[in-house]
Every structure is written in C-alpha cells, then in structure tokens.
Amino acid sequence: FSNNFFRPKVGEGFVFRTGNIAGIGQDQYYIKRLVGTPGDTLQVKEPVLYRNGSPITGAEAFDLNANRTGLYRGYQASGHLAVGDTVTVGDDQFFALGDNSYNSADGRVWGFVPAKDAVGRPLFIYFPFTKRWGPAR
C-alpha cells in the first residue's frame, strides 16, 4: 500500500508479492531489505555489498554486515551475485537481500522482483515474537 505514495528506497525494508518470481514458485508476501533499484549495479566482494561501484549505504544492517559486527557475518556471494559477478537491475525491477546473508533465500537465489509486485515498506513486525517484534526499522 505505501508503495502508492512513496517510492521504495535502498536500505528500507521492502514488502513484495512473490507470485511472478519463478524461483519461488508460490504467491505470498516476502519482506527483505531493498538493495537495488532500476539502473543500479550490484556486486559482492565478501563481506561488503557494492552498489554502483561503492560500498552500499543507507541502513545500519549494511554497515554491520560490512564490518561483520555481532551476528552479522557479512554479505556472501552466490547465485545471481556470484563471486566476481556484477548484476544490473533492469527497468521495472528491484533487487532485495536478507540481512543474514548466510541464512537467507533472497535475490541471490531467485533474482529480481518485478516492480508491479512491490507492495511497500513494512510498518510493524509481529512475527516471530522475538527482539525484532515491534515497529519495523
């Protein structure tokens, strides 16, 4: 819903439908972190994610991963963002990754999110009932 009023921004939580993503195989809602918008180039040089040739910025999770702080183990190159690969986000597409790269099925596995399937930003996390419960950051 919020996508109708605000364009998705890199670094924000990103809610989207999965029905048009062949690598997922079912229609449901996913929440990941938006890392690429149309025209962006992305590359992983472990543990850092690069956007348009520079280390990605815009979210605390990006810095925590780049520095392998606490439980953040850094970004792992694989699949659509394999070692040495650079991908360019096409027109009418987005690219989303999980904050826990080593334990996340994300754009590296299933590729791009069609723009028509973008729903918006998450507002509140109610499941799982852990320390992440509460207003989305």
Side-chain angles (χ1 to χ4, degrees), residues 33-50:
R33 189 166 307 278
L34 184 62
V35 300
T37 58
D40 286 342
T41 58
L42 301 170
Q43 183 179 32
V44 173
K45 296 179 187 176
E46 295 182 15
V48 180
L49 174 64
Y50 285 78

Side-chain angles (χ1 to χ4, degrees), residues 68-89:
R68 292 184 168 153
T69 303
L71 298 176
Y72 293 84
R73 295 170 52 192
Y75 289 100
Q76 182 182 38
S78 68
H80 287 273
L81 275 175
V83 174
D85 286 352
T86 299
V87 298
T88 300
V89 182

Side-chain angles (χ1 to χ4, degrees), residues 100-134:
N100 183 353
S101 187
Y102 282 78
N103 193 30
S104 182
D106 53 28
R108 293 167 304 138
V109 174
W110 32 257
F112 300 98
V113 175
K116 66 182 180 180
D117 294 328
V119 174
R121 299 183 306 219
L123 299 175
F124 194 87
I125 298 171
Y126 64 90
F127 184 83
F129 195 70
T130 65
K131 66 179 181 172
R132 293 183 184 238
W133 184 90

